[in-house]
Amino acid sequence: MKSRTTLALAALCATMATAAAARDEIRIVGSSTVFPFSTAVAEQFGKKTAFATPVVESTGSGGGLKLFCAGVGAEHPDITNASRRMKMSEYRMCQENGVTDIIEVKVGFDGIVVGNAMNAPTFDLTRADLYRALTAKTAQSGRMKDNAFTTWNEVNPSLPAQRIEVLGPPPTSGTRDAFEELAMEDGAKSEGAEFDGMREDGVYVESGENDNLIVSKLESNPGALGIFGYSFLDQNADRIKGARIEGVEPTFENIASGEYPVSRSLWFYVKKAHIDVIPGIEEYVAEFISDAAIGEDGYAVEKGLIPLTDDELDDLKSTVNNQVVMTGKEPLK
């Protein structure tokens, strides 16, 4: 009788043979923040090689990882983009569904911007201001009650007397995860409190995974602020402006130096089992981590990606070239 391991390997081979017959283009899902960079790489890859241009979908980081971790085979994506690191719960979900060998690729950095229309008031915010304005509960008379702030100057007298309205990403977004961790949780700590969720009374408006849509809404609504990745500010600098956070402007230099306080790393994850079956995955990844794409003067950097240091890029290339897979011992939350 065949062992379970032998049967499992046979099933995997059969699945991957089906995958090879089913499609010849790479399928990529995930983060709306990484989407412009991934799309640029896919287009260059399609022009420079004989492989089909990859299909890139913007599903949000959480949504992409859920699709990616669902299994191995043609019906599942090969790569997922993420604007925050994979969570331990997601890693375990992958393992449980047979996605056991995952290559983790950190491609650069991004700042999370709180911005508004060019003709709107200029904001200079602290993380404590953001926490007070957007947290669901605040301390009132020694008790935690529903947040009752309605205008920014109620939050901080130095801010405009403008109604609080913030357009931002949904819970499935890596930008939302990172904003809550880097802005809301840190803001809560500075107040001696704990962050326990965003407001759901219409002050914080979930506006989908598409950061470009938030940018468009800000133009038509000067009374609102929006939360989105730095690259969207960089590409729309004639339409919107970013608020200072802790007195620091969201610029390329300030994010690269680490001075801007609300910044995060950007990633993508590769399903190793698909590399030798779906044509072009290895070559696509090589294009993404090339100097031409994410080096100091790379075309992805021109689109707003904050590049890795030279040492980080060298380490990344070593990881990818040796197809080093995650072990579950990475600092996943």
Side-chain angles (χ1 to χ4, degrees):
M1 182 179 289
K2 294 182 178 179
S3 69
R4 290 185 178 181
T5 301
T6 302
L7 290 171
L9 287 172
L12 177 61
C13 290
T15 299
M16 296 313 298
T18 302
R23 59 181 167 88
D24 62 0
E25 79 283 346
I26 301 165
R27 184 183 171 207
I28 304 167
V29 295
S31 165
S32 62
T33 301
V34 183
F35 177 80
F37 312 130
S38 185
T39 299
V41 173
E43 290 172 351
Q44 285 293 320
F45 173 79
K47 292 176 183 177
K48 293 167 61 173
T49 73
F51 297 105
T53 300
V55 176
V56 187
E57 298 175 70
S58 177
T59 63
S61 296
L65 281 158
K66 185 176 181 180
L67 292 167
F68 179 83
C69 290
V72 172
E75 68 272 31
H76 304 293
D78 312 302
I79 296 171
T80 189
N81 301 320
S83 56
R84 47 100 174 146
R85 199 170 197 179
M86 178 184 285
K87 298 176 182 178
M88 181 56 76
S89 60
E90 292 162 336
Y91 177 80
R92 289 173 180 151
M93 177 172 61
C94 271
Q95 302 299 303
E96 290 168 1
N97 291 328
V99 186
T100 54
D101 291 335
I102 305 164
I103 302 171
E104 181 182 61
V105 185
K106 177 181 173 182
V107 293
F109 305 94
D110 182 42
I112 300 176
V113 174
V114 180
N116 57 0
M118 292 297 290
N119 61 342
T122 298
F123 278 73
D124 196 332
L125 297 161
T126 66
R127 284 169 286 184
D129 293 335
L130 291 167
Y131 167 72
R132 286 194 292 266
L134 298 177
T135 185
K137 303 282 187 181
T138 60
Q140 302 171 44
S141 304
R143 298 175 59 189
M144 297 303 292
K145 298 181 180 179
D146 290 342
N147 194 335
F149 288 129
T150 59
T151 62
W152 285 104
N153 66 325
E154 291 174 348
V155 169
N156 182 335
S158 69
L159 296 174
Q162 176 176 308
R163 185 169 69 90
I164 302 170
E165 181 182 0
V166 178
L167 313 179
T172 52
S173 166
T175 299
R176 168 75 168 265
D177 286 341
F179 179 78
E180 290 186 358
E181 177 184 348
L182 299 170
M184 299 298 288
E185 290 180 11
D186 283 0
K189 288 176 185 176
S190 70
E191 297 278 284
E194 291 187 7
F195 172 61
D196 193 30
M198 302 289 280
R199 293 177 73 160
E200 297 181 352
D201 57 357
V203 169
Y204 180 83
V205 182
E206 293 182 5
S207 300
E209 297 282 2
N210 188 338
D211 287 5
N212 273 320
L213 182 59
I214 293 177
V215 169
S216 297
K217 288 181 177 179
L218 293 178
E219 275 197 301
S220 61
N221 184 5
L225 277 69
I227 298 168
F228 44 86
Y230 165 76
S231 63
F232 292 88
L233 173 65
D234 183 61
Q235 297 297 309
N236 296 280
D238 59 333
R239 304 165 59 195
I240 53 174
K241 58 187 175 182
R244 289 174 178 262
I245 305 292
E246 315 292 353
V248 181
E249 293 184 8
T251 64
F252 182 98
E253 293 75 16
N254 289 341
I255 297 168
S257 69
E259 186 178 356
Y260 183 71
V262 190
S263 56
R264 40 66 188 281
S265 303
L266 302 179
W267 312 78
F268 67 83
Y269 294 87
V270 183
K271 203 168 287 180
K272 187 176 179 180
H274 285 202
I275 288 177
D276 293 327
V277 181
I278 303 297
I281 293 178
E282 193 170 358
E283 291 81 1
Y284 167 83
V285 173
E287 175 64 27
F288 207 135
I289 68 169
S290 68
D291 291 338
I294 63 171
E296 186 175 346
D297 298 314
Y299 57 80
V301 174
E302 290 179 356
K303 287 186 170 292
L305 179 70
I306 310 298
L308 301 169
T309 65
D310 290 342
D311 287 344
E312 286 175 315
L313 187 54
D314 288 342
D315 289 344
L316 169 64
K317 290 179 179 179
S318 176
T319 296
V320 170
N321 291 337
N322 291 298
Q323 295 189 6
V324 177
V325 300
M326 299 175 69
T327 64
K329 296 180 180 179
E330 293 80 8
L332 308 178
K333 293 190 299 179

